[in-house]
Amino acid sequence: PEVYYFSPTSHVPNSRLPVLIYRTVLPADPTAASTREALEKNHWIQGGVFKTFKAHHFHSVTHECYAVFKGSSHLLLGCGPLDDPGDGGVEVDVRRGDIIVLPAGVSHCSISSEGDYEYLGVYPEGSPHWDNNFCKAGPKETAEKAKVARTVPIPEYDPIYGKDGPLVDIW
């Protein structure tokens, strides 16, 4: 997978773990159902089917995987709306067949999307329900969220390749 590291900002904890993007790894002509089947066998459980979400946010209590089964999106990772644009955010494109794995604490939002963009959000089995943090808290609260995010366990399974997949080695 592609690997992206992000340093903390004043409003986003980010993570020592990198964001991973796997290109064209979903089953041919993916649907929500075929995508769910492919990922749940590797112990990543569906949280919902989502469309474009333009609000900068991160989850402090769980890692998250977007599995794109329809359309494409241009995402901004690693910074929030109150951060200086030079604070290290990266823009990436994801499209049908791709997955992106976001460690707890890493901010993300969709800048734009096309083709009736939809993705399946999946979370490591046993994770608590995600929380939404909108990258607008001050440094003290952000530091508290960072402490929580650092305690989220590393999954034992890669969402695509299972027990011996790249996520397990890289994280």
Side-chain angles (χ1 to χ4, degrees), residues 68-91:
V68 183
F69 64 88
K70 193 173 186 185
S72 63
S73 188
H74 188 69
L75 305 176
L76 175 60
L77 309 174
C79 66
L82 302 179
D83 290 319
D84 196 350
D87 276 349
V90 171
E91 295 181 20

Side-chain angles (χ1 to χ4, degrees), residues 114-155:
E114 296 179 353
D116 201 19
Y117 174 63
E118 285 188 88
Y119 63 94
L120 190 71
V122 295
Y123 306 85
E125 189 172 65
S127 295
H129 190 275
W130 66 88
D131 59 343
N132 280 330
N133 299 276
F134 293 101
C135 311
K136 294 181 180 179
K140 184 177 178 182
E141 185 178 333
T142 300
E144 290 299 318
K145 295 292 183 176
K147 285 180 189 175
V148 171
R150 284 193 297 270
T151 68
V152 175
I154 294 173

